Amino acid sequence: MSIFKLERSIPVEEGYDLAVAGGGPAGFAAAVSAARLGAKVLLLEATGCLGGMGTSGLVTAFDPMANGEEMLVRGIMEEVVEAMYARGYMSPGIDPNNWRKYDHKWSPFRVEGYKRILDEMVIQAGVQVRFFTRVIDADVSQADKVVNGVVIHNIEGYSFVRAKAFIDCTGDAVLADLCGADCREAGRETENIMPATLPSLFVNIDWDRKRQVNEQKGVEVRQAIKEGHFTQPDPFLVGMSKVGDNIGYLNGGHLFNLNALRVNDLTEGMMFGRRLAEEYLGFYRKYIPGCEKLEHVTTASLIGVRESRRIVGEYELTIEDYVAKRQFPDQIGVFNKFVDVHPYDCSEEAYQHHLLEKEKRFKLKEGEYFGIPYGILVPKGWANLWVAGRCVSSDVLVHGSIRVQPACSMMGQAAGTAAVQSIQTGQTACSIDTEELVGTLRRFGAYLPQTTLSRTMTKNG
């Protein structure tokens, strides 16, 4: 790939050890972990805050972090949640054992508090952050699979950033794709695309009365569909989560067949998502007790994309690994969330298939977990490029488990730590000493219970 072609020269920025594209939970964790190890880090984020889906996307609840016996997701993610709890940024009355111990419990939070904690942590770590900045091209040496630098764009124009290492935390593998790394796209290599959702915040909820009805069971939704209330007869509804004394977060409504790599799809999806949000406002007012005076505050500024592009990594995590609860000597995290592949259409058959996978076919028992190996973070053969978050190397079913914020944070911390190790030792991303990597992650709080270690990563044959 050649440098982005412009008729005029652009400024060249040098001196960075690591450039991270994307400031969601993966990018944030990658940048902070690397900076704490002494690296000079540049973190590039397209919006005006860190946190990704948890902030700009209004997915204001952390997915399960424990398995009924112990906390699995530790390290930087644990720091964030504990700091938010100490500051009163978690949902009122929440039990800390939601993330410390309980099996499959969500932890709702106040979005502005989350933003503040992330701001403070990157400042304390010495990360240089640039909001409203996108990576738009990359210069690479294809023969060596080395990234030399990236072209970025913001209000000040274009510039070229050189660094020793790069991490793609864009969610859509934007940087990896620009570099020419092999990727798989939903809807191209797969028959279907997992639907997206545009979340919302609502106020004026009487939670005591609302608790009388569990809208996730679908009785009220089906009645509303029967009465022609919704534009699309979608029986799936996650339900309203409490994030304030009278505030709720709704991850409701599916944007079916939306290709997040196509701007027209994103545009139409935002418009249709806002229409669905208004329909859910009417639904809750009419059908759900305690919501008669409900008001819609806002929809998210980002669509909640569940699937788009994933790299072809040194290892691909599969559903067979998940079911076997496989442990890897080079695992950089362990996790246990159920396989959450949302229905591909509004049919009852698709909905029941989702429930079967979520609740019976693949769900792990209390105390169980599976490993997340280092190799899924490395585009196959690349020397100084890593990927963390939603766009790592996995099959669709496992992707339904690990695409969420806590898992993304663990992967980001591992990628940032690996990048610094690579810079300090000269080891490439695809030949790193994973025994040393695991040791460093453990020292910085990661829970990695494997008893067998290896200096080489697990790879596909």
Side-chain angles (χ1 to χ4, degrees):
M1 302 285 287
S2 60
I3 297 177
F4 185 76
K5 295 299 190 297
L6 293 172
E7 293 183 358
R8 57 183 174 81
S9 62
I10 62 176
V12 176
E13 302 182 45
E14 301 184 274
Y16 292 106
D17 295 308
L18 173 65
V20 181
F28 162 80
V32 169
S33 61
R36 288 177 174 177
L37 289 167
K40 184 177 181 181
V41 181
L42 177 63
L43 177 56
L44 307 165
E45 167 54 38
T47 71
C49 64
L50 301 174
M53 286 298 107
T55 52
S56 297
L58 291 183
V59 183
T60 58
F62 296 125
D63 288 74
M65 297 172 60
N67 67 352
E69 295 181 358
E70 57 195 338
M71 188 172 183
L72 304 178
V73 183
R74 302 183 192 176
I76 287 176
M77 188 72 215
E78 181 180 11
E79 288 183 49
V80 170
V81 181
E82 293 291 344
M84 291 175 65
Y85 179 65
R87 297 267 287 273
Y89 295 150
M90 300 304 290
S91 177
I94 194 171
D95 187 337
N97 282 318
N98 275 25
W99 61 87
R100 295 175 185 169
K101 181 179 179 180
Y102 296 151
D103 184 44
H104 278 95
K105 290 290 186 179
W106 273 252
S107 301
F109 57 83
R110 303 176 190 267
V111 63
E112 290 302 315
Y114 187 25
K115 293 177 186 178
R116 289 289 296 123
I117 293 293
L118 300 187
D119 285 346
E120 292 171 8
M121 288 181 67
V122 290
I123 291 170
Q124 291 167 1
V127 176
Q128 182 175 341
V129 179
R130 291 191 197 167
F131 290 138
F132 310 112
T133 302
R134 293 180 180 274
V135 172
I136 61 171
D137 208 345
D139 176 53
V140 306
S141 299
Q142 284 289 353
D144 301 320
K145 293 193 180 300
V146 170
V147 185
N148 302 311
V150 293
V151 179
I152 64 174
H153 181 260
N154 55 33
I155 190 64
E156 297 178 16
Y158 302 97
S159 60
F160 181 70
V161 176
R162 297 188 192 278
K164 299 173 184 176
F166 298 83
I167 304 178
D168 185 338
C169 300
T170 61
D172 298 315
V174 171
L175 175 55
D177 185 61
L178 288 171
C179 291
D182 291 336
C183 297
R184 297 186 178 94
E185 292 185 11
R188 187 183 69 184
E189 275 78 21
T190 63
E191 181 180 355
N192 299 299
I193 303 174
M194 202 186 311
T197 296
L198 184 65
S200 289
L201 292 181
F202 295 85
V203 295
N204 295 337
I205 304 166
D206 183 341
W207 289 106
D208 290 334
R209 293 183 58 230
K210 185 191 172 299
R211 288 191 184 95
Q212 300 171 16
V213 172
N214 182 357
E215 68 270 33
Q216 296 182 48
K217 292 187 179 300
V219 176
E220 293 77 18
V221 172
R222 283 173 168 76
Q223 182 62 30
I225 290 173
K226 183 178 179 180
E227 296 175 4
H229 179 83
F230 291 108
T231 298
Q232 61 183 22
D234 185 358
F236 183 95
L237 183 58
V238 173
M240 193 86 71
S241 297
K242 182 178 181 179
V243 295
D245 290 330
N246 69 344
I247 305 172
Y249 138 66
L250 180 67
N251 196 3
H254 282 128
L255 307 175
F256 293 109
N257 301 312
L258 183 147
N259 186 334
L261 305 177
R262 305 290 180 266
V263 69
N264 285 344
D265 282 24
L266 292 171
T267 302
E268 293 172 3
M270 289 295 288
M271 293 181 180
F272 187 60
R274 288 190 278 266
R275 178 178 176 179
L276 288 178
E278 187 172 14
E279 293 180 3
Y280 278 107
L281 171 65
F283 163 76
Y284 272 89
R285 283 176 172 175
K286 181 177 180 180
Y287 294 92
I288 306 298
C291 297
E292 294 84 357
K293 297 182 180 179
L294 193 69
E295 294 291 339
H296 186 209
V297 178
T298 187
T299 50
S301 57
L302 288 179
I303 291 176
V305 174
R306 296 185 173 93
E307 181 185 23
S308 57
R309 185 194 283 129
R310 294 190 295 280
I311 63 164
V312 176
E314 291 287 352
Y315 187 80
E316 180 180 74
L317 192 64
T318 68
I319 192 60
E320 289 77 19
D321 295 323
Y322 177 100
V323 171
K325 301 177 288 293
R326 185 176 177 187
Q327 303 298 296
F328 301 84
D330 64 322
Q331 64 195 18
I332 47 78
V334 294
F335 206 50
N336 79 321
K337 188 190 172 182
F338 56 79
V339 171
D340 191 15
V341 176
H342 282 229
Y344 293 120
D345 56 52
C346 290
S347 69
E348 186 65 28
E349 179 183 9
Y351 179 55
Q352 292 302 323
H353 180 74
H354 164 77
L355 292 180
L356 177 65
E357 290 184 340
K358 170 185 172 183
E359 298 178 2
K360 295 182 180 180
R361 187 178 177 194
F362 297 127
K363 187 175 181 180
L364 301 181
K365 298 176 183 177
E366 285 195 20
E368 296 181 336
Y369 51 78
F370 64 97
I372 300 175
Y374 167 75
I376 73 171
L377 311 180
V378 182
K380 192 172 181 63
W382 284 79
N384 67 338
L385 175 64
W386 291 261
V387 169
R390 197 183 70 222
C391 44
V392 296
S393 179
S394 72
D395 68 16
V396 172
L397 289 171
V398 173
H399 175 73
S401 171
I402 65 173
R403 61 180 173 77
V404 296
Q405 296 179 65
C408 290
S409 178
M410 290 192 295
M411 292 185 277
Q413 183 171 355
T417 304
V420 175
Q421 181 177 323
S422 172
I423 293 167
Q424 293 176 344
T425 65
Q427 301 162 1
T428 64
C430 57
S431 65
I432 206 164
D433 183 336
T434 52
E435 183 174 354
E436 180 182 348
L437 174 63
V438 169
T440 304
L441 290 171
R442 283 173 170 169
R443 289 196 299 274
F444 281 82
Y447 177 59
L448 300 172
Q450 64 265 37
T451 55
T452 301
L453 299 179
S454 171
R455 299 189 66 180
T456 59
M457 76 172 83
T458 304
K459 296 186 178 185
N460 289 116

